Structure formats: C-alpha cells, structure tokens
Amino acid sequence: MTHRFVRAAAGPALVLSYPATVVAALWPSAWAFVVTALIAYVADAVASREELPVSERLAQAHTGVTVRFLIRELAVLLLLARQGHAGDTVFAVLALGLLGLHALRGAYSALTLYVIRRRRLPVVTRGIDLTGLRIPDAPSPQLTTRHSRTMLHLDVLPVLLAGLFGLRGGASGLAATYVLGLVAFAVMARHAARNRHLGDENRVFDLVNQRLAELRPEVALYFSGSPDSAYQANMWLSTVDELDRQAVIILRERPMVPLLGRTKTPVLCVPKAMDMVRLDLSSIRTALYPANVGKNLHMLRMSGIRSAFINHGDSDKPASFNPFARAYDEVWVAGPAGRERYLTMRTGVRDEDIVEVGRPQLAPIDTSGVTPDPMFTVLYAPTWEGWSDDLAHSSVATMGPAIVRALLEHAPQVRVLYKPHPLTGTRDPKAIERHNEIVAMIERANAGRPASGGEHADRLKTLTRRLDALAGDETAGDEAQLTRDSAAAGASDDRREVEEAWTAAYWQAGGPVRHRVITGPRPHVYDCFNHADLLITDISSVAGDFIVSGKPYAVTNVKGLSDEEFRELFPTAALAAYLIGPGCTELGQILAYAQGEGPDPLTERRRELRAHLLGPDGLDSAKRFDAAVSALAAKSLTRTDDDRPAA
C-alpha cells in the first residue's frame, strides 16, 4: 500500500514542485523553498527509479531532467537575489559555480561513457580464459549507473544550504560539492586509463580464437532470444555438459549471459552478426538449435556445420511442428509422437530427417509416484497466451481464477502450487490481470494456514544472494568482469551445491501445507513435479514432461470442445489426461480419482502414452542423444552442397 501511494504521489509532486519552488523563491520564503525543493528532489528520484511515465512526458515537453535541475538552481539564485544578495561577489561566484557543475557533469559523463564503451567487449564469455586481455575490476555501480543523474544531484548541498543559511551556506555547500565531484572525476579518469587497452577488438578476437583452437569444440548449442526465454536454453545445459564431444554454447544477446544456468561448457556471446564470421568455428561439426528465431540464419549459413533443431519442448503447440524446421539438416524429437506430428502436419520435414532422441533432461523427475509432503498437492502450471489469439492455449485469462478458487475451496483441503509460464501476459493484458487475481487469492488463503520452517527463511535469503552472485549479477561487476572471473568459476561445483541447498531450503521454508506462487527460474518446474500429486496444465510440453512421473494430470479445454475432438487435436497432451472444460465442473471428480477414491481409469493409458512420447522405457535418453550428435557430426565430414536442406 505504501509503495503504491508513493508511486501515485510522485507524478503530481514532480510536476507541481518546480513551479512551487520558483514561487517560494520569488515570495521570498526560505523555508517554503527548502520544503518544495526537497519534494522535487525526492519526486525526481522516485520517478526515475520506478520509471514512471511522467518523466518521459516531461522530456517530450522539453522539460527533461537537466532542465528541471537548472530551474531549481535558478530558483535558489532568485531567492538569494530577493533576499538582497544580488550585488555580492559571493553571489556571482555561486552563480558561476552552479553553471560549472554542469560542465563538470558533462566531463564526468564523457569519461564514464568512454569506460563503459571500452568495457563492452565484442564477445562476452563464460568459462574461457581471457587472462591475456588484462581486464581490470569494473567501476562501482554507484559511479556508472545513471551517472548523469548522480552528478546532477551534486547540487543538493549548495541549493538546500543556500535556502537554509543564505549566501554563505550556499557557498560552503558549493565548495563541498566540487570536492566530491572532482574526486569522482579523478576516480573515473583512473578507470579510463586502466581500460584504454580494451578498445582493441582485433586483440579480443585473436585471444578468443586462440582459446577456441585449444578447445576444438565439435558441438555448438546455439541460442538467441529474449531474457524471458532463457529457460529454453537452460533446459539443455545438463545434456550438453554430458556429451562425449567438446561443446561450446553460442548466445546472441548480452542479457542472456547472466541468465544462463550452471554449466561447465564454455560460453560465447556474440551480439553482432558481422562478428560471427570473425570467430574461428572451423572445428564445429554439429550445431543444435533449441528455438526457431531469425538469428539462427547467421549460424545456418556457415558451411561444413550440420544442424539439428532440438526445440525447447515436445508438445502439440505449433512450435513443435513449425515448417521452418525444414531449414535444418535434422529435426530431433523425443519419440514416435514427435515424428508423427511433423509428418501429419505437412511441414515438409522428411521422415528420414527426423531422429528420436528421448528427453535426457527429464532425469531429475522422480518416477516413484510418491511426493515428500503430507498434504495432497496440486500443481497449476499454465502456459502463456502464444503468438496467435486463435489458439487459446493459455487458461490463465479465461479459467485460471476459477481453477484456483475451486482448488482453494475443495474439501478435504489441498495445497496449491501455482507456477505460470515466464511469458504470461506478454501479449494479453488480461492474462496479467487474472494472474494478479490468482496471486491475491492464494495470499488470502495462506492467511488461514499455519506457517512453519521459519528457521529456513533466512538461509533461503542467504543462498539466493549467493546464487545471484554466482550467476554474475551486478554485485559481481559488469560483463567484462564476468568474462574475466568466470574462467575460474566455470569448472567449479559451487553453484550446483548452492542450487541443491537452495531448493531444499525453499521447500522447507514456509512449511508443507501453505500454498505457493512460484515465478522465476527457481525452483525448476521439475522440482515442482516432484512435490505435486496432480498436475493441471494447458496444451504445452509440461504435460508431456510430467507423464514421466506416472502421476495423474489434467489439461484445460479452454474452448469447450468435445472430449473426442480435443484429444484428436492435441493427442500428446490429452490422450492420457483428464480434461477440464471452461466451467471447471470436472475438477471435483478429477481430484477424487487423483486422491485414490476409486481406481484411476487413466493409469494404463498414461503408461502407453509415455512410451509413445518418449520411446521405450529401456532406452537411455542421454546415450541416444549423444549417439545422435556423433552421427550428425560424422555426416558433416561428407557433406556436399547438393544435400543442403531447402529453407
């Protein structure tokens, strides 16, 4: 409530405080000036931190942040003039000094931008030794983040002290301000000198290529996407780590680097397309693609590298039968169902180009059918709204609140785990509204449930901070420092141990009966599987993954199709699933079956579908995947221009 009030008040306060400051100066009223100036400083800071629209609108009206600070500085000079100080020499020094602060700010900003540009390497790496670049420590974030605003706020001392103590107070404040400003300038000048050599891009690529020549990677996991899609690459990291051949991970967006999960495989992030050709990738024989995006072409066009589309899930959604898959040499699917999907949907992918490799990343899912918590637990893991409004795959905006309400009101009581897709609300604002409604319902329901495990809460916070540091957040420096420090951290098992400890602490904190809203990458959806007795999901790969557990699951029938029509359209998700229509009337009976009130009629069907989706139980997915990599790598050695796939 307090935070919402501050946000709501910041806009009007920002707009009104500046004219009020000028009026107080003309009055003249020193105390009114100080109060309105303080309000202006605070409102400006809140609007900037919260990224309120009012800041952008004021900038469009030619009253941006620099102009606003100038208005306040002119106002303090008006106040002093109205107090009779206009003829004093100190007044002229103060006026010139305030103008000089803007010159100092400009010089400081120029140095800061120089350092930032120098440290923005053309290639960001993890787990690759670039000691030869001699990358120094990053400047403190306090000196570089919003550096222009930071220097503008140097006028706080002369402005407020002039209002409180008159001309002499303003002069004293100005002197202290220049000391602070010049110290900051000197520190940044030192950083500029230390980082000057990083501007040599040729040196960077020479050193990266030397390391690639030493590593001689044969396999590349290639990924491009938004920060919200990081999970699509992360789900393949453990599989790539276990390959018999040396691999490398190639990313295309800088924000993805700190979001990439724990991996011992070296990582290269190459943002510019023109820089891709500067890398020595001559040893790579196979490139694996978890997502269909435009930047894949930058790797696909490289000769001598065989390509395989491995996708980031196996489901009935269009991503699992996209016609663009023809651009790859091979399409790898989990089992027979994936093969049938590509062939029956007329994608143009040939049967001989489809390889069944299982789902090696499903190994963490417990197949015992037993959950560790005493209360029956339902996991509601809906997908996002997708790229087309016609698909109606997500239940959040239509059925989400009704599903959660029915679960919360069910007798006997059940525990609800709500883990929405990371992209929920990307296209449909209504999905965000319903998501917030679901979160509020769960918070209210938790008010009546006992909390336990409080001793684990502090440990969870500590472990979260450690994981953030290991992931390379701002506490560990910028991209350049992450590149430098990750060489030693790449082979460490610290992150694995911390992740395991974090997961244990998460489920212990709060106790085993309270409902949970689970957003972000932790805990992983597979951890949620292991704590759930029943899954409710949409048309997505979540259903296909959960079937490994052997436990019952339900799929939402958002459009209210007949059971026969729905299962025919979405066999992967629905053939062995209970179906929930728009009215959610089926939910009570589904819970009864899942809780053991009578035989579960879909048990055998789930076993059959599991084999259809993932292949026979006796096959080792990790070995199948590794064999597929080796077979495709061997083909790259005999490739001719005539056997390229048609795009």
Side-chain angles (χ1 to χ4, degrees):
M1 180 66 72
T2 302
H3 181 257
R4 287 202 299 269
F5 173 78
V6 170
R7 280 180 57 90
L14 182 61
V15 173
L16 297 176
S17 59
Y18 284 92
T21 300
V22 174
V23 170
L26 292 172
W27 186 348
S29 172
W31 285 106
F33 174 85
V34 170
V35 170
T36 54
L38 272 174
I39 292 173
Y41 279 120
V42 173
D44 237 318
V46 172
S48 172
R49 186 183 68 247
E50 300 292 334
E51 297 182 350
L52 299 181
V54 65
S55 294
E56 184 178 349
R57 291 171 187 162
L58 286 172
Q60 292 171 349
H62 304 292
T63 51
V65 61
T66 303
V67 172
R68 296 198 297 272
F69 274 72
L70 276 170
I71 290 173
R72 190 165 42 231
E73 291 161 5
L74 288 172
V76 76
L77 293 175
L78 283 173
L79 174 68
L80 294 173
R82 292 280 290 152
Q83 290 174 340
H85 300 295
D88 293 355
T89 302
V90 177
F91 178 85
V93 171
L94 180 62
L96 288 173
L98 289 173
L99 287 175
L101 282 181
H102 290 273
L104 178 59
R105 177 184 65 85
Y108 178 83
S109 293
L111 271 180
T112 304
L113 291 173
Y114 175 85
V115 172
I116 291 173
R117 283 195 296 267
R118 280 291 186 267
R119 295 185 64 83
R120 196 172 177 84
L121 303 178
V123 181
V124 184
T125 69
R126 277 174 52 179
I128 296 179
D129 184 7
L130 298 182
T131 306
L133 287 181
R134 296 181 292 110
I135 300 174
D137 286 343
S140 169
Q142 282 81 8
L143 294 175
T144 56
T145 304
R146 299 180 183 271
H147 54 88
S148 182
R149 279 184 170 273
T150 300
M151 294 300 287
L152 279 172
H153 278 88
L154 286 176
D155 73 358
V156 170
L157 287 176
V159 168
L160 295 184
L161 290 179
L164 289 171
F165 304 111
L167 188 59
R168 300 296 176 183
S172 299
L174 184 66
T177 292
Y178 266 92
V179 170
L180 292 174
L182 290 172
V183 168
F185 181 86
V187 170
M188 194 54 63
R190 181 171 178 268
H191 280 290
R194 296 177 64 197
N195 287 275
R196 183 176 55 188
H197 64 284
L198 295 182
D200 187 352
E201 289 194 358
N202 291 329
R203 172 61 179 155
V204 174
F205 279 100
D206 287 345
L207 193 56
V208 169
N209 285 331
Q210 287 178 27
R211 298 296 171 261
L212 287 173
E214 295 166 1
L215 290 169
R216 293 200 57 77
E218 297 180 64
V219 183
L221 180 72
Y222 179 98
F223 185 76
S224 172
S226 66
D228 289 333
S229 63
Y231 71 97
Q232 298 175 1
N234 285 334
M235 68 170 55
W236 286 105
L237 297 182
S238 60
T239 303
V240 173
D241 282 349
E242 298 304 318
L243 290 175
D244 287 340
R245 295 168 179 262
Q246 177 64 54
V248 66
I249 298 170
I250 299 177
L251 305 176
R252 299 302 310 282
E253 286 79 24
R254 294 177 185 272
M256 275 293 302
V257 178
L259 298 177
L260 200 67
R262 183 195 60 81
T263 177
K264 65 183 181 182
T265 303
V267 179
L268 291 169
C269 177
V270 191
K272 294 181 181 179
M274 64 183 69
D275 287 340
M276 282 291 295
V277 299
R278 301 174 69 178
L279 289 177
D280 181 7
L281 303 178
S282 57
S283 63
I284 292 179
R285 297 287 173 259
T286 304
L288 309 176
Y289 300 83
N292 266 324
V293 292
K295 289 184 181 180
N296 286 5
L297 293 173
H298 301 157
M299 189 80 175
L300 283 169
R301 68 189 180 188
M302 294 185 180
S303 61
I305 301 176
R306 288 275 183 166
S307 59
F309 179 59
I310 59 176
N311 212 340
H312 51 272
D314 207 341
S315 72
D316 296 311
K317 293 165 71 174
S320 292
F321 52 87
N322 191 327
F324 186 78
R326 289 177 299 173
Y328 306 95
D329 292 297
E330 292 182 354
V331 175
W332 294 0
V333 297
R339 178 185 297 275
E340 293 172 7
R341 193 182 303 117
Y342 274 103
L343 297 178
T344 58
M345 297 305 293
R346 299 180 180 180
T347 59
V349 177
R350 301 178 301 177
D351 182 61
E352 57 266 33
D353 293 333
I354 301 174
V355 181
E356 297 175 25
V357 296
R359 291 271 285 162
Q361 62 269 63
L362 301 186
I365 300 176
D366 185 0
T367 59
S368 69
V370 179
T371 55
D373 303 316
M375 179 171 282
F376 187 88
T377 299
V378 181
L379 169 63
Y380 177 41
T383 190
W384 71 299
E385 49 270 27
W387 296 113
S388 171
D389 295 329
D390 296 333
L391 297 177
H393 282 160
S394 175
S395 61
V396 174
T398 53
M399 300 168 55
I403 290 173
V404 174
R405 186 178 299 109
L407 293 173
L408 296 177
E409 295 175 354
H410 186 265
Q413 290 185 340
V414 301
R415 180 176 66 156
V416 178
L417 308 179
Y418 171 52
K419 186 172 178 62
H421 192 285
L423 297 179
T424 297
T426 301
R427 293 187 62 253
D428 186 2
K430 187 182 294 185
I432 285 293
E433 295 175 10
R434 297 296 176 266
H435 164 76
N436 292 335
E437 184 179 340
I438 291 171
V439 172
M441 290 167 55
I442 290 175
E443 289 176 348
R444 288 195 298 270
N446 268 338
R449 294 207 166 187
S452 60
E455 65 275 15
H456 299 285
D458 291 338
R459 175 169 168 75
L460 184 64
K461 293 178 182 178
T462 300
L463 290 168
T464 299
R465 288 193 294 269
R466 287 186 61 190
L467 278 176
D468 289 341
L470 288 170
D473 72 343
E474 63 180 13
T475 63
D478 59 4
E479 287 178 351
Q481 191 165 326
L482 174 62
T483 291
R484 182 195 70 186
D485 297 343
S486 67
S492 174
D493 287 332
D494 286 352
R495 184 161 176 173
R496 181 194 294 271
E497 295 173 2
V498 176
E499 283 178 343
E500 292 174 352
W502 186 96
T503 300
Y506 175 83
W507 293 111
Q508 291 167 338
V513 300
R514 289 174 67 82
H515 310 293
R516 295 177 186 261
V517 176
I518 305 170
T519 57
R522 298 187 298 265
H524 194 279
V525 68
Y526 296 165
D527 292 318
C528 299
F529 286 178
N530 294 337
H531 285 264
D533 299 285
L534 170 70
L535 166 72
I536 298 176
T537 188
D538 302 328
I539 301 302
S540 74
S541 62
V542 170
D545 290 350
F546 187 78
I547 202 169
V548 174
S549 71
K551 293 179 284 192
Y553 67 100
V555 173
T556 59
N557 180 0
V558 177
K559 286 189 174 182
L561 303 175
S562 68
D563 288 3
E564 294 76 14
E565 185 179 3
F566 189 81
R567 287 192 167 103
E568 183 178 353
L569 285 173
F570 309 113
T572 299
L575 275 177
Y578 295 102
L579 303 185
I580 304 176
C584 301
T585 55
E586 306 88 349
L587 194 50
Q589 183 60 62
I590 293 171
L591 285 168
Y593 282 137
Q595 290 177 301
E597 298 178 15
D600 183 345
L602 296 181
T603 300
E604 186 57 35
R605 192 182 293 181
R606 287 197 297 273
R607 292 196 191 99
E608 295 172 355
L609 183 59
R610 171 177 172 168
H612 188 56
L613 294 179
L614 305 174
D617 289 343
L619 298 180
D620 188 316
S621 288
K623 291 181 179 178
R624 295 170 71 190
F625 190 90
D626 196 74
V629 169
S630 297
L632 189 57
K635 290 180 182 179
S636 71
L637 298 175
T638 59
R639 179 172 196 156
T640 67
D641 290 337
D642 294 334
D643 66 356
R644 285 181 176 275

